[in-house]
Amino acid sequence: MGAPDAASAVRDGIRCMLMRGGTSKGAYFVATDLPSDPATRDDLLLRIMGSPDPRQIDGIGGAHPLTSKVAIVSPSTAEGIDVDYLFLQVGVDTATVGDAQTCGNLLAGIGPFAVERGLVPATGERTTVRIRLLNTGDIATAQFPTVDGRPEYDGDAVIDGVPGTASSIELEVGGGPDKPLLPTGSPTDDVDGNTVTLIDNGMPVVLLRAEDFGVAGTESPSALEDDAVLAERLERIRLEAGPRMGLGDVAEQTVPKLILLSPPRDGGAISTRAFIPARVHTAIGVLMAASVAAALRIPGAVGHDIAGPLAGEETAVEHPSGTFPSRVRVTRDADGTWRATSFSLRTARKLFDGTVFPRPRR
């Protein structure tokens, strides 16, 4: 079935699978089921998700950035890669569709979705899927259980921020040889008069000391979101950091993320509050955590001096709803360039599979 035109999409719908990936939720599509023209596609996705509307009452979005996400999957033409994954962040109360970032949480569902749609065959009791992240150029490997040729979602794995248990999905994400961990080459930079670390281990983030902004770093997400003075300071930093990280003008983008760091309280390595960028994450994104964990291993980087003990590659990253175990391997080239590969255990679950109907017009 090819991509529908506007009239038939409203009348006949579009094939869609809603999945929870990690601590996020999104609509998953095969690329050929959507228009190839980006502007036409984005308009359609806004009407599917119900944006712009803070409630997204006339669409399938969940009225929060963590539940207003889209994953588009297609067979890959790259050698040694099974599928390509394009992530789109759909605005909730704004008519925006951003592609400047990827999503490590929805990444957890890409492998199972590819098997569900017949893009990749299952291989026995465990299936491996190689994934190219089109937004960033990173390459991921996902391993997950399969039974009778289909993904197995039931299991005993637990991740903070998600109730219950599910089968484990092992993810490995690494940047290419031309992608340094520190975009400016320095462990710290001065941005708008603040000492920050600009780092990208799969997600471009700005790391800041919570105490520099008059907060403890233990506040609830809602309390931080209600602090207008803090929000203004952070946005100034974000707008200046974007070009320095090679992202250009980020005024209409959702990257870079900003993460306040403070000493650990619950036995972890560091405590975090992640701005994404206006709302505060109720947990932490997979690749945000990977960027934090990598920074803690770089002398002089923000957070390095307040981190708890780091044992091997595992880092317990504390967040508002628990702790995320982020495993990273950090190396330094002979010329001093820092690089990293991240490993994580996630879960995902198919919520529904069927046909979604966009509203006729915005």
Side-chain angles (χ1 to χ4, degrees):
M1 177 179 175
D5 57 33
S8 62
V10 171
R11 181 180 62 250
D12 301 323
I14 298 169
R15 196 177 189 196
C16 172
M17 183 178 291
L18 190 68
M19 299 187 76
R20 175 189 62 76
T23 55
S24 292
K25 183 166 59 178
Y28 289 64
F29 298 91
V30 174
T32 52
D33 290 334
L34 293 171
S36 57
D37 174 65
T40 304
R41 176 202 66 203
D42 292 353
D43 178 75
L44 180 65
L45 292 174
L46 287 165
R47 291 186 283 125
I48 287 173
M49 301 303 282
S51 301
D53 172 28
R55 300 173 301 161
Q56 290 182 318
I57 196 67
D58 203 26
I60 64 172
H64 192 282
L66 297 182
T67 55
S68 188
K69 299 184 172 187
V70 169
I72 301 176
V73 184
S74 59
S76 183
T77 57
E79 184 177 355
I81 305 298
D82 297 307
V83 294
D84 290 341
Y85 156 45
L86 176 68
F87 170 72
L88 298 174
Q89 179 69 60
V90 179
V92 175
D93 53 1
T94 59
T96 57
V97 180
D99 63 359
Q101 68 172 83
T102 191
C103 177
N105 275 304
L106 287 201
L107 173 62
I110 298 299
F113 177 76
V115 172
E116 293 271 11
R117 285 291 186 262
L119 302 178
V120 177
T123 54
E125 295 182 355
R126 288 192 71 78
T127 295
T128 299
V129 178
R130 292 273 288 167
I131 305 162
R132 179 169 60 171
L133 284 62
L134 294 180
N135 305 77
T136 63
D138 293 314
I139 303 298
T141 301
Q143 293 188 336
F144 51 94
T146 45
V147 177
D148 297 329
R150 301 178 64 183
E152 174 58 65
Y153 298 105
D154 189 19
D156 298 323
V158 176
I159 62 173
D160 286 338
V162 177
T165 64
S167 65
S168 63
I169 298 172
E170 297 174 10
L171 295 174
E172 177 182 341
V173 182
D178 298 327
K179 184 179 179 181
L181 184 61
L182 301 173
T184 67
S186 175
T188 59
D189 290 275
D190 184 289
V191 178
D192 194 44
N194 301 276
T195 299
V196 308
T197 290
L198 308 178
I199 189 166
D200 184 354
N201 190 17
M203 177 67 71
V205 303
V206 181
L207 302 181
L208 316 105
R209 295 182 183 88
E211 65 176 7
D212 290 349
F213 295 83
V215 297
T218 58
E219 294 83 356
S220 69
S222 59
L224 291 172
E225 289 172 356
D226 290 341
D227 189 334
V229 175
L230 175 63
E232 182 180 354
R233 288 187 65 187
L234 293 180
E235 183 63 4
R236 287 201 308 268
I237 293 170
R238 195 180 75 84
L239 293 177
E240 184 177 329
R244 294 202 196 185
M245 301 183 78
L247 302 172
D249 183 358
V250 297
E252 301 300 323
Q253 296 292 343
T254 56
V255 287
K257 312 299 188 185
L258 301 105
I259 303 180
L260 299 180
L261 302 182
S262 58
R265 275 87 177 179
D266 298 312
I270 200 76
S271 179
T272 63
R273 293 295 185 268
F275 291 73
I276 57 175
R279 302 295 299 272
V280 178
H281 207 305
T282 55
I284 191 170
V286 176
L287 299 177
M288 291 184 231
S291 292
V292 170
L296 300 186
R297 288 164 169 76
I298 298 176
V302 171
H304 177 79
D305 59 333
I306 60 172
L310 299 174
E313 298 176 346
E314 185 93 354
T315 306
V317 179
E318 297 176 5
H319 55 75
S321 55
T323 300
F324 180 86
S326 182
R327 182 179 158 217
V328 298
R329 181 177 302 138
V330 178
T331 59
R332 197 176 192 187
D333 296 347
D335 64 0
T337 301
W338 292 93
R339 303 189 186 278
T341 301
S342 66
F343 310 83
S344 62
L345 185 148
R346 294 276 83 186
T347 67
R349 191 171 77 82
K350 176 172 62 174
L351 303 179
F352 80 68
D353 186 10
T355 303
V356 65
F357 294 84
R359 67 173 180 246
R361 66 188 74 178
R362 283 196 286 125

